[in-house]
Amino acid sequence: MDPRFLGIAELTEVPSVAVVVDVMRAFTVAAWAFGQGAEKIVLAESLDEALALKERHPDWVALKDGPPAPGFDTVNSPGLLRSLDLAGRTVVQKTTAGTVGALAVREASLVLCASFVVAEATVRLLRARGSDSVTFVVTGEDGRADEDLACAHYIARRVTDPGTDATEFLRRAAESRAATELAEGVRKGVHADDVALCLELDRFPFAMAATQEDSLMVLRPHAAPA
């Protein structure tokens, strides 16, 4: 496999296979939503679109980055989301980086959204796909977020070397700027357990694949090949 690691702004062509990485916290939150029973996640283009979808579908659960806001049910925090019963529900998610990255590669033949909590399932799906070229979209900090780079590097390495150990990659993520800002309360809408939950390797047994359904980009859990 020939991996490329690009920030959102560096995407100049549509990749065949894209793995969009947002560890802290969009795609850790998405995995937790599925873990809590959500059926699907609609990735919104903007806060206005998220609110419009919520208005048309009052039973949907809308979440965003930052502090709570009118019209939104919750925020982009795994620590807060884990207390919600989302069985059979549709979630609308709008974040600063993760959802933006997924929408940027919506034309790719395969779009996977990833973080450490679904790393091994993502690896297995990539192995089964057998793609020669995979573009890892590093969403945070204009492609320089070390927690996202660490996760992308780990997944890419493990596809070709199943013996790759996660310890050093998790250490990099734990020492990242995002982890520090979450731990110190610089970012809003945070639970005290968020960093630890974002660093919980392979918590969930599924990968997450995004596809276009009508005019919406929809994320669903995808069973990992054995």
Side-chain angles (χ1 to χ4, degrees), residues 127-179:
R127 282 197 200 123
R129 175 83 179 212
S131 301
D132 292 332
S133 177
V134 176
T135 297
F136 289 85
V137 183
V138 181
T139 59
E141 298 178 32
D142 297 321
R144 296 186 298 273
D146 206 35
E147 74 281 3
D148 294 341
L149 279 167
C151 185
H153 291 159
Y154 172 68
I155 291 171
R157 185 87 58 84
R158 195 165 172 85
V159 169
T160 55
D161 180 3
T164 300
D165 183 77
T167 303
E168 178 61 19
F169 301 94
L170 289 168
R171 182 197 62 77
R172 284 172 54 192
E175 295 176 357
S176 68
R177 174 181 173 182

Side-chain angles (χ1 to χ4, degrees), residues 1 14-19 107-112 120-135 159 207 209-211 222-226:
M1 186 183 75
V14 177
S16 174
V17 176
V19 180
E107 302 294 336
S109 62
L110 176 64
V111 179
L112 301 178
E120 187 63 21
T122 304
V123 166
R124 290 181 183 178
L125 194 54
L126 289 171
R127 282 197 200 123
R129 175 83 179 212
S131 301
D132 292 332
S133 177
V134 176
T135 297
V159 169
T211 57
H222 193 298

Side-chain angles (χ1 to χ4, degrees), residues 37-71:
E39 177 186 349
K40 64 183 180 183
I41 298 174
V42 176
L43 305 178
E45 297 259 11
S46 65
L47 293 174
D48 286 343
E49 183 188 28
L51 289 172
L53 288 167
K54 173 69 177 179
E55 186 174 357
R56 291 202 299 272
H57 306 277
D59 58 323
W60 288 11
V61 178
L63 65 87
K64 61 177 280 294
D65 274 338

Side-chain angles (χ1 to χ4, degrees), residues 66-82:
F72 287 89
D73 300 285
T74 187
V75 295
N76 193 48
S77 160
L80 295 172
L81 198 74
R82 65 183 171 175

